[in-house]
Amino acid sequence: RMVIAGIEVANFMAINFFTDETAPSWVGGPLHFTIFVSLLVWSLAMYMELSQILGFICTGLGRRYLASPRHWFDLTVLVMTGAVSLALLDKQVVEDTAFCTGFGVLVFCKWSRFLVYLR
């Protein structure tokens, strides 16, 4: 999980750099690559989270999963990651203020989660 969190943080920092309004015009190719990596890592993280949910439910610990704030935080960050990654497929979304705010919050949450995994 820590490796995936590290890749996510680095990838979203690259996306932040490439979607900057002062970015050079050559960033189209690298931006598409970082979006592809983001979707790939997101699908892997989604698989792992769904496997974890299924494991909790199969062992009769579904309530324990739902009662943990850490699981809710991870699930929220995962859903936000998917929404941002899919929204990035539209090039005009980077000019939207709501998207930029959500993207900033997501990067902050990813850094927080990565720091928690490092302890």
Side-chain angles (χ1 to χ4, degrees):
R1 283 195 180 252
M2 187 179 75
V3 172
I4 290 176
I7 292 171
E8 284 180 323
V9 167
N11 192 46
F12 272 86
M13 293 305 294
I15 289 172
N16 187 31
F17 173 74
F18 293 140
T19 57
D20 187 19
E21 62 270 356
T22 60
S25 61
W26 56 265
V27 299
L31 178 61
H32 293 301
F33 177 73
T34 56
I35 293 171
F36 172 75
V37 170
S38 175
L39 289 170
L40 185 68
V41 171
W42 173 69
S43 62
L44 178 65
M46 181 66 88
Y47 171 76
M48 290 177 59
E49 191 68 28
L50 290 175
S51 297
Q52 183 179 9
I53 292 170
L54 185 63
F56 270 89
I57 291 172
C58 287
T59 57
L61 299 172
R63 287 184 183 210
R64 182 178 225 179
Y65 180 88
L66 293 174
S68 172
R70 186 184 131 264
H71 294 299
W72 280 103
F73 178 74
D74 285 344
L75 196 57
T76 303
V77 169
L78 191 61
V79 170
M80 282 180 61
T81 301
V84 166
S85 297
L86 291 173
L88 278 169
L89 295 173
D90 178 20
K91 294 180 190 256
Q92 301 302 322
V93 77
V94 297
E95 298 172 6
D96 185 33
T97 306
F99 171 79
C100 291
T101 304
F103 183 73
V105 169
L106 179 62
V107 169
F108 175 76
C109 290
K110 286 190 174 295
W111 271 109
S112 300
R113 194 172 74 172
F114 181 64
L115 291 174
V116 166
Y117 287 148
L118 282 176
R119 62 180 174 127

